[in-house]
Amino acid sequence: MRGLAGKRVLISGGSSGIGAATARRFLEEGARVVLGGLDQAEVDAAVAELSALGEVHGLAGDVSAQADVERLVDGAVEALGGLDVLVNNAGTAWREPFLEITPDHWDRIMAVNLRGMFLVAQAVARHLVAQGSGGVILNMSSTNGLGGEADYAHYNASKGGVLLLTKTMAVELGKHRIRVNALCPGYIQTPLNASISAGLEGDFVSSYERDHIPLGRAGLAEEVAAGYAFLASDDAAFVHGTELVIDGGQLAIM
Ligand SMILES: NC(=O)c1ccc[n+]([C@@H]2O[C@H](COP(=O)([O-])OP(=O)(O)OC[C@H]3O[C@@H](n4cnc5c(N)ncnc54)[C@H](O)[C@@H]3O)[C@@H](O)[C@H]2O)c1
């Protein structure tokens, strides 16, 4: 991918799943990386696993807490001497029928997936504007931001919100040469999905792959990392204010 070597990249939620695969991909492209995550031990383990590939630092914290976000972004700027790319990836999900969602559960999903996305994006954007050399912000949405999967009303609403947050940021930040886009992965094999499907009866994963995904399989975290790398690269220099769907054809089904 063109233009990623030497880039200073912050990846929120970079300690597991898609984010960890993305940290690996950016390091392989010659970028310098700070990865975040909720759990200190998981962050330390990811840094230890990736450090042979290049310069990688870790910072733990909760993206829904403003003080933690300030520590994350200030720490990344200090560790890398500035920032060029934000992969705004941290998020959480669980299944819950609409009729049973409690206000507390609604608030937690919104706090992590939408408020957290906003807080990290705003802190990084303020830094990029002050730095004056443009940049890239990539926000993690989902196919669930484009269609209403049953039992995920809070998650779907949060990811739909990420898409309009992305478009509005693109409108306001383009004049600062900051490109902003979103990713919409479909069903990807990660620890998050493994824990959701572990609670379901029968062979949920293979019937889901057969019935919902034209390519007949779940996606890999590396296949989403490739989307992040493309959107951050110079090959995507005129891609702005939109979303990239990576779903094996799931949304093409009528
Ligand atoms: N797995 C999928 O099928 C899929 C599909 C579409 C979108 N997504 C999105 O991709 C992103 C990554 O998901 P994943 O499947 O790799 O999950 P994962 O559970 O493997 O990784 C989630 C990452 O986010 C971090 N995180 C979670 N809550 C946090 C918080 N409050 N503060 C800071 N960090 C926090 C975790 O520490 C971890 O690093 C999420 O935003 C998710 O909604 C996943």
Side-chain angles (χ1 to χ4, degrees):
M1 221 61 82
R2 289 187 305 131
L4 292 181
K7 283 277 154 59
R8 300 162 294 184
V9 183
L10 171 59
I11 303 172
S12 76
S15 58
S16 171
I18 292 166
T22 303
R24 175 178 293 277
R25 176 63 192 259
F26 276 89
L27 288 166
E28 287 168 356
E29 296 279 354
R32 302 165 59 215
V33 171
V34 169
L35 62 84
L38 188 56
D39 180 66
Q40 183 73 58
E42 190 178 89
V43 167
D44 292 344
V47 169
E49 193 181 321
L50 294 169
S51 58
L53 296 172
E55 182 183 344
V56 54
H57 311 265
L59 286 166
D62 185 336
V63 293
S64 70
Q66 193 177 5
D68 285 16
V69 170
E70 280 167 15
R71 266 197 309 111
L72 175 69
V73 175
D74 290 350
V77 167
E78 194 181 317
L80 300 177
L83 279 176
D84 302 298
V85 177
L86 167 64
V87 175
N88 205 1
N89 177 76
T92 192
W94 61 82
R95 290 173 71 99
E96 205 164 26
F98 171 70
L99 294 176
E100 292 169 22
I101 294 174
T102 64
D104 280 353
H105 283 187
W106 177 273
D107 288 349
R108 183 61 186 160
I109 292 270
M110 289 296 161
V112 177
N113 291 1
L114 196 50
R115 174 185 159 90
M117 191 93 7
F118 155 70
L119 287 174
V120 178
Q122 187 190 56
V124 169
R126 284 175 170 165
H127 174 77
L128 293 176
V129 169
Q131 198 175 252
S133 49
V136 175
I137 296 178
L138 304 175
N139 293 329
M140 178 51 100
S141 178
S142 168
T143 45
N144 291 52
L146 293 163
E149 187 174 17
D151 297 336
Y152 288 97
H154 38 20
Y155 182 73
N156 300 342
S158 73
K159 293 300 189 181
V162 169
L163 291 178
L164 273 177
L165 172 67
T166 300
K167 288 187 193 302
T168 314
M169 287 172 59
V171 171
E172 294 191 33
L173 298 176
K175 62 176 176 287
H176 299 287
R177 292 181 296 122
I178 299 169
R179 287 194 301 107
V180 188
N181 290 292
L183 249 72
C184 292
Y187 190 77
I188 311 299
Q189 279 176 34
T190 67
L192 180 64
N193 265 337
S195 73
I196 291 173
S197 46
L200 300 170
E201 69 290 342
D203 198 352
F204 170 81
V205 176
S206 42
S207 56
Y208 191 90
E209 290 171 329
R210 185 192 62 228
D211 298 339
H212 295 284
I213 307 175
L215 282 181
R217 63 172 178 86
L220 304 175
E222 293 73 20
E223 292 168 325
V224 181
Y228 273 137
F230 165 67
L231 287 173
S233 78
D234 292 346
D235 291 320
F238 202 54
V239 182
H240 185 52
T242 191
E243 64 272 350
L244 176 61
V245 174
I246 303 175
D247 71 345
Q250 185 166 1
L251 289 181
I253 297 177
M254 209 178 109

